[in-house]
Amino acid sequence: MSAEELALLRAELGAPLPESFGTLDDAQVRLLAQALRRARERRASGLNEAVEDALTLVPALTREPVRRMLFR
């Protein structure tokens, strides 16, 4: 496994790699890194949608100030 691929996967995990990851080849590491990235993007998208849905409960005139207070 190349150092570049390891760095990519470590960055996606945001933590040291488990020892067992040393048995993966470059293609497997790339696939795992891509899967982690897609999962993180889906989770962020779902969270953004939930926030926007929740803000519909706030009166319209106060939504922007509330959004700024919560998400500075």
Side-chain angles (χ1 to χ4, degrees), residues 10-29:
R10 193 176 303 114
E12 286 300 325
L13 282 176
L17 299 177
E19 281 185 35
S20 60
F21 281 29
T23 63
L24 300 174
D25 62 30
D26 285 350
Q28 291 171 321
V29 170

Side-chain angles (χ1 to χ4, degrees), residues 16-66:
L17 299 177
E19 281 185 35
S20 60
F21 281 29
T23 63
L24 300 174
D25 62 30
D26 285 350
Q28 291 171 321
V29 170
R30 276 191 302 277
L31 182 64
L32 182 56
Q34 290 169 354
L36 288 168
R37 186 178 315 110
R38 283 192 307 267
R40 185 175 293 112
E41 290 168 356
R42 277 193 310 271
R43 185 177 59 211
S45 175
L47 181 58
N48 288 338
E49 288 177 23
V51 166
E52 290 303 319
D53 286 346
L55 283 173
T56 62
L57 300 174
V58 175
L61 292 175
T62 60
R63 279 187 199 140
E64 277 308 309
V66 168

